[in-house]
Amino acid sequence: MCLAIPGKILSITGAEFARTARVSFGGIVKEVSLAYLPEAQVGDYAIVHVGFAISLVDEQEALQTFEYLKQMGEMDELEPTGKRA
Amino acid sequence: MSEVKEFRLQCPAPVNDSERVQLAHGGGGRRMHELLESLLLPSFGNEALLERHDGATLKIAGAKLAFTTDSYVVRPLFFPGGDIGTLAINGTVNDLAMCGARPLYLSSALILEEGLPMEILRRVVESMRVSAIAAGVQLVTGDTKVVDKGKGDGIFINTAGIGVIEHDILISPKNVRPGDTIILSGDIGRHGIAIMATREGLSFESAIESDCAPLWEPVQALLDAGVEIHCLRDLTRGGISSGLIEIAEASGVRCAITQADVPVLEEVAGACEILGLDPLYLANEGRFAAFVPNDEADRTVQILRQFAVSGDAVRIGNVVDGPAGLVTLRTELGTERVVDMLSGEQLPRIC
Amino acid sequence: MKYLDEYRDPEAARQYAASIRRIVTRPWTIMEICGGQTHSIVKYGIDELLPREITLVHGPGCPVCVTPVELIDKSLQIAARPDVIFCSFGDMLRVPGSNSGVASDLFSVKAAGGDVRIVYSPMDAVQIARQNPDKQVVFFAVGFETTAPANAMSVYAAKQSGVTNYSVLVSHVLVPPAMEAILSSPANCVQGFLAAGHVCTVMGYTEYAPIAVRYRVPIVVTGFEPLDLLQGVYMCVLQLEQGRSEVENQYARSVRREGNRHAQDLIARVFRVVDRKWRGIGGIPQSGLGLADEYAEFDAQNRFGLGDYSAQEDSECISGLIMQGARKPHECSAYGKRCTPDHPLGAPMVSSEGACAAYYRYRRLRTADLPQAGGGSE
């Protein structure tokens, strides 16, 4: 559980529980409910599961996976941990 | 507190063997394969049949002919990029092409459901007409039956085809050997998505169209150029994985392919992500794999790329010694895994 | 595709794997409870990239696999009715019931003429109900917390707009109680957890802190792509090596600490927490969701008068142990022989997320066992 993928919000219509968006997933466009993401705006990326947007992708945090790797690389250069079994 | 069932390493329950034909038996995957191997081939076993190729190669009165048949039961009848009529013609034309035979004559048998609107029949027949012209074949004989309402799913079409083999190359799985390069004629998954989207009502705004198309032209070009083709296989139900597994099993070799080299349209990839599908298992109707000696690979790709239907032809892997009957895939991460035959139709998932 | 492809970068994956190798000093057993993560691990061969000291076990993360067999049987009964259009996610179609006289799975019901339809979203099922007022439309509401918001909305919307011919067969399960059940079992060998990233997207991760403390296990909320899993494993191993047991969030691009409040609100309105039986494991108290009283009329079990009954599991398959991580699929004597995706004995072999099926389908040969295919690996 659970297949949810990021898509880009192209346009929004409706309000509250009936608020929906056209979302593009690599060029495929599907209508998605924004009932649970009232703060979503056009241009945002949302994580979508079974036709519902459940979170917005935080662009800053998205980079963190790569920042972390870079930091690890830098740390290893400075100071090898040398704890190999 | 959970109650852990007392476990035994023996599972004494009998295997649940199905006593009824299931949809999966026609799905192009493992079940259909088993049906063929356990019932059909043993019942009729002869040399031509046991080649296990897309069509039968026959010598009749000095001429070499290829003979094939296929039935088309697709639902929905109409889908983006084609309909059952387009499939019925091109599917059989392509089976002949995969034998290296120039498709010439087709028969068609229609089974129609009582109550089918004439308009639908007209559209399907028109598609067949147009496809036959495009493929350069003539429909020379046929049959029409009508069944009770509720028994026919609208239309079923069977087409059989005859083609002539005008060369001496033996194109057959038996000819595939370690060292051969595997070439794929284009991107995969379009037909499968087109059908699934329409059938399950999983609609996308802009429809992905089926890739249904005749494949004889590029094959003819390869033959005319004298390329030493070992085997051809069109990649239909069950996708590229089924096609390659069948060849690997029939030839007793391993096919090793690289994920990153297998082309998939961005929209098809997007649809697959949404529905949880793997493009390797999606049906195609205008794509084939060619097995050629390694030193012929570049030339083959060059020739194929001259044609629209194989404009994106690319090397995707090669044939290696063993273990026999396997298809292995190098993932994007560089790890290697086995590509198994699906047991039934691939279904969308949410998990 | 943006926010997907980047997390499949092979070079970054190799670097993460190397980093894990650098910090590990002893064997560790880490469990993920998420079918999607299982799928990804096996599909990309991620455990092949990890040092041998790390054992990844696949927990009961497949709601399909843990749906009680009685509920499967009930779904088959309902789906076979001529007045019913039975809608389901594709995942449920091939899960075997107990074979007590009824067609063995939903796919067979469909083959025998039942109106069984695959839908992408539960809202599609509500739409089908609107379009077919003379039929009963039943939706198989299966899932972890991730799918609960969508299922809740379908019931809410049906009630709001008077779609009375819609009902749901509910089989929702919750992750934290399952984790506790595993950790409190005397046979437990799990030392760290990767928590399911999309479950936490909905629910947040505050529920995990008490578990981390009580059982002294690190819990890392993790995504689904290769880099997510590798970073999650790295963070978990680092905690284990450093003797910490905290909750950390690897999947911060989607998961906020408090989760999605709007989704949680509607779940609380439409559902209530109930005891639930997990196939292969047994009953876990307060581990599932059922419909709240206000929405009881949408419960398909009530509507079709299907009372309580117990079905006997036909097979003694060891799915329970596999789902608790105590055994790997290939350690089952039936695996690959009498139990395959074609003729499964238990749910983990059927669902594409089930540990057994994932293993079988993406059955990996260790690269060392394969003659080189021409071109070095790595």
Side-chain angles (χ1 to χ4, degrees):
Chain A
M1 211 64 188
C2 324
L3 194 60
I5 56 166
K8 185 172 182 175
I9 296 178
L10 300 179
S11 63
I12 299 179
T13 50
E16 294 179 6
F17 276 175
R19 194 162 175 257
T20 61
R22 284 170 57 248
V23 177
S24 167
F25 304 92
I28 279 285
V29 178
K30 208 152 164 48
E31 190 167 293
V32 167
S33 167
L34 294 182
Y36 297 123
L37 223 55
E39 68 271 29
Q41 299 299 326
V42 172
D44 285 345
Y45 279 80
I47 301 282
V48 177
H49 175 66
V50 301
F52 285 79
I54 53 175
S55 70
L56 281 183
V57 177
D58 183 323
E59 305 219 19
Q60 281 300 107
E61 293 290 358
L63 295 169
Q64 180 263 3
T65 300
F66 305 95
E67 286 303 315
Y68 196 87
L69 199 54
K70 222 165 52 161
Q71 282 167 33
M72 283 196 303
E74 285 160 11
M75 268 166 44
D76 285 328
E77 269 152 31
L78 292 178
E79 172 202 358
T81 53
K83 290 184 83 157
R84 262 321 266 119
Chain B
M1 215 33 166
S2 68
E3 305 133 22
V4 179
K5 262 219 255 288
E6 213 207 87
F7 80 98
R8 303 204 293 256
L9 284 178
Q10 288 301 114
C11 284
V15 165
N16 178 29
D17 249 330
S18 175
E19 273 305 299
R20 277 177 175 240
V21 171
Q22 301 228 313
L23 286 174
H25 286 122
R30 181 63 70 194
R31 288 240 176 126
M32 183 171 100
H33 193 69
E34 276 170 8
L35 188 66
L36 276 171
E37 295 289 328
S38 66
L39 178 64
L40 295 160
L41 290 178
S43 298
F44 302 108
N46 55 62
E47 209 184 290
L49 198 57
L50 292 170
E51 286 283 308
R52 288 179 180 78
H53 200 31
D54 288 325
T57 311
L58 309 164
K59 288 196 183 73
I60 301 177
K64 265 197 308 190
L65 302 176
F67 180 39
T68 185
T69 186
D70 222 329
S71 293
Y72 300 88
V73 300
V74 71
R75 221 174 8 102
L77 297 176
F78 299 93
F79 46 84
D83 59 42
I84 189 174
T86 334
L87 288 185
I89 299 295
N90 287 311
T92 294
V93 161
N94 291 343
D95 281 345
L96 291 172
M98 295 300 111
C99 298
R102 182 155 59 89
L104 290 175
Y105 303 111
L106 259 53
S107 71
S108 112
L110 303 177
I111 299 179
L112 308 172
E113 191 181 351
E114 185 194 0
L116 177 75
M118 275 303 182
E119 182 48 38
I120 292 194
L121 183 58
R122 263 184 231 122
R123 279 172 68 187
V124 170
V125 170
E126 176 62 12
S127 290
M128 291 173 76
R129 188 186 74 84
V130 166
S131 303
I133 293 175
V137 296
Q138 292 180 57
L139 210 65
V140 296
T141 182
D143 177 72
T144 308
K145 292 284 183 296
V146 178
V147 294
D148 290 334
K149 199 173 169 69
K151 298 234 160 83
D153 227 8
I155 308 181
F156 292 146
I157 305 180
N158 168 277
T159 49
I162 294 186
V164 64
I165 297 175
E166 292 159 320
H167 57 82
D168 283 316
I169 307 178
L170 175 60
I171 298 179
S172 152
K174 298 263 151 73
N175 226 8
V176 170
R177 33 201 115 113
D180 283 356
T181 300
I182 306 171
I183 293 168
L184 176 57
S185 70
D187 65 89
I188 57 171
R190 294 194 207 188
H191 182 76
I193 292 288
I195 292 285
M196 190 164 311
T198 315
R199 186 177 66 201
E200 308 293 352
L202 302 162
S203 57
F204 307 109
E205 221 180 56
S206 46
I208 292 176
E209 294 203 345
S210 166
D211 54 319
C212 189
L215 297 170
W216 170 241
E217 270 196 295
V219 173
Q220 178 172 43
L222 292 178
L223 289 168
D224 287 346
V227 173
E228 189 194 323
I229 306 172
H230 287 168
C231 188
L232 299 170
R233 172 59 57 106
D234 66 341
L235 307 169
T236 54
R237 273 188 178 176
I240 184 178
S241 61
S242 286
L244 294 184
I245 291 170
E246 278 167 12
I247 302 272
E249 286 178 349
S251 323
V253 297
R254 170 164 70 102
C255 294
I257 62 174
T258 301
Q259 177 83 71
D261 293 336
V262 177
V264 182
L265 265 197
E266 211 195 351
E267 289 93 329
V268 172
C272 285
E273 294 290 349
I274 295 174
L275 299 174
L277 300 171
D278 187 341
L280 293 179
Y281 296 97
L282 287 176
N284 308 276
E285 289 291 339
R287 297 287 181 264
F288 65 100
F291 293 73
V292 299
N294 193 39
D295 52 11
E296 294 264 48
D298 285 338
R299 194 157 77 104
T300 304
V301 170
Q302 233 175 45
I303 294 170
L304 291 180
R305 285 194 180 168
Q306 291 165 28
F307 299 89
V309 77
S310 47
D312 293 321
V314 67
R315 305 163 85 123
I316 59 165
N318 36 40
V319 177
V320 290
D321 238 313
L326 277 193
V327 175
T328 55
L329 177 82
R330 170 158 303 156
T331 70
E332 290 103 324
L333 297 194
T335 52
E336 199 120 3
R337 65 169 170 90
V338 173
V339 177
D340 201 13
M341 205 179 264
L342 265 198
S343 61
E345 278 187 74
Q346 191 180 197
L347 298 175
R349 60 186 175 96
I350 60 145
C351 237
Chain C
M1 282 177 63
K2 194 169 181 195
Y3 296 123
L4 274 189
D5 294 338
E6 313 90 297
Y7 298 92
R8 298 172 181 171
D9 177 60
E11 187 45 46
R14 275 190 281 273
Q15 285 175 37
Y16 263 114
S19 305
I20 295 169
R21 225 169 282 131
R22 269 197 292 277
I23 60 168
V24 76
T25 65
R26 33 185 283 223
W28 297 113
T29 298
I30 299 175
M31 175 180 273
E32 40 83 5
I33 306 192
C34 179
Q37 287 172 342
T38 310
H39 193 96
S40 205
I41 288 168
V42 183
K43 176 179 173 181
Y44 289 100
I46 286 172
D47 47 353
E48 213 176 298
L49 288 179
L50 296 175
R52 287 178 190 252
E53 288 89 338
I54 308 292
T55 304
L56 276 184
V57 294
H58 314 297
C62 163
V64 171
C65 302
V66 301
T67 296
V69 68
E70 293 88 345
L71 215 55
I72 303 289
D73 288 346
K74 287 180 183 176
S75 76
L76 301 178
Q77 282 179 49
I78 296 173
R81 293 171 60 124
D83 58 329
V84 166
I85 300 176
F86 195 88
C87 299
S88 172
F89 298 125
D91 314 57
M92 298 307 292
L93 278 254
R94 290 207 193 91
V95 179
S98 65
N99 295 318
S100 47
V102 186
S104 60
D105 57 27
L106 283 169
F107 217 76
S108 314
V109 173
K110 193 176 156 103
D115 194 343
V116 176
R117 303 190 197 181
I118 295 176
V119 293
Y120 164 66
S121 164
M123 302 307 288
D124 297 337
V126 179
Q127 186 62 357
I128 290 173
R130 277 195 197 99
Q131 292 165 342
N132 293 272
D134 53 330
K135 297 265 181 168
Q136 283 291 319
V137 175
V138 181
F139 178 68
F140 208 168
V142 175
F144 274 116
E145 295 94 319
T146 322
T147 318
N151 292 339
M153 184 62 78
S154 79
V155 175
Y156 179 86
K159 184 163 178 138
Q160 290 286 303
S161 50
V163 182
T164 51
N165 57 329
Y166 178 71
S167 62
V168 287
L169 190 62
V170 181
S171 176
H172 262 291
V173 282
L174 305 173
V175 172
M179 279 174 72
E180 290 222 56
I182 289 166
L183 286 166
S184 58
S185 156
N188 175 50
C189 47
V190 177
Q191 296 159 308
F193 271 99
L194 302 183
H198 290 138
V199 168
C200 293
T201 297
V202 172
M203 301 301 288
Y205 50 87
T206 55
E207 302 171 278
Y208 296 87
I211 299 178
V213 166
R214 186 177 316 137
Y215 298 96
R216 284 194 276 272
V217 280
I219 300 177
V220 180
V221 179
T222 304
F224 298 77
E225 299 305 317
L227 291 194
D228 293 319
L229 291 158
L230 287 163
Q231 185 183 10
V233 169
Y234 179 86
M235 290 164 69
C236 198
V237 172
L238 191 61
Q239 284 205 45
L240 288 166
E241 291 285 339
Q242 293 175 347
R244 292 183 286 128
S245 49
E246 295 153 14
V247 180
E248 290 183 289
N249 182 10
Q250 178 279 330
Y251 196 33
R253 66 183 182 277
S254 173
V255 180
R256 322 272 103 94
R257 191 172 174 276
E258 66 282 0
N260 184 320
R261 280 280 160 72
H262 306 283
Q264 291 163 27
D265 287 346
L266 201 73
I267 293 174
R269 271 178 81 160
V270 174
F271 290 113
R272 60 193 169 93
V273 178
V274 297
D275 297 339
R276 205 166 261 305
K277 193 168 159 197
W278 292 54
R279 185 174 188 174
I281 294 180
I284 303 180
Q286 302 288 285
S287 66
L289 295 177
L291 285 173
D293 290 340
E294 195 191 336
Y295 293 92
E297 84 231 52
F298 289 93
D299 190 334
Q301 294 201 59
N302 295 340
R303 194 172 292 196
F304 293 93
L306 298 172
D308 277 325
Y309 73 79
S310 292
Q312 266 307 98
E313 275 281 12
D314 219 351
S315 69
E316 294 289 326
C317 91
I318 64 167
S319 47
L321 283 150
I322 287 175
M323 289 192 277
Q324 289 173 76
R327 286 282 179 287
K328 287 239 164 153
H330 57 266
E331 290 169 331
C332 169
S333 64
Y335 168 79
K337 303 188 193 97
R338 278 179 301 165
C339 187
T340 69
D342 284 321
H343 30 80
L345 294 180
M349 184 53 92
V350 173
S351 164
S352 57
E353 295 329 304
C356 301
Y359 257 64
Y360 193 88
R361 233 189 100 184
Y362 296 125
R363 195 178 46 208
R364 281 154 7 264
L365 304 180
R366 295 208 68 92
T367 317
D369 298 339
L370 283 172
Q372 277 309 302
S377 65
E378 279 256 334

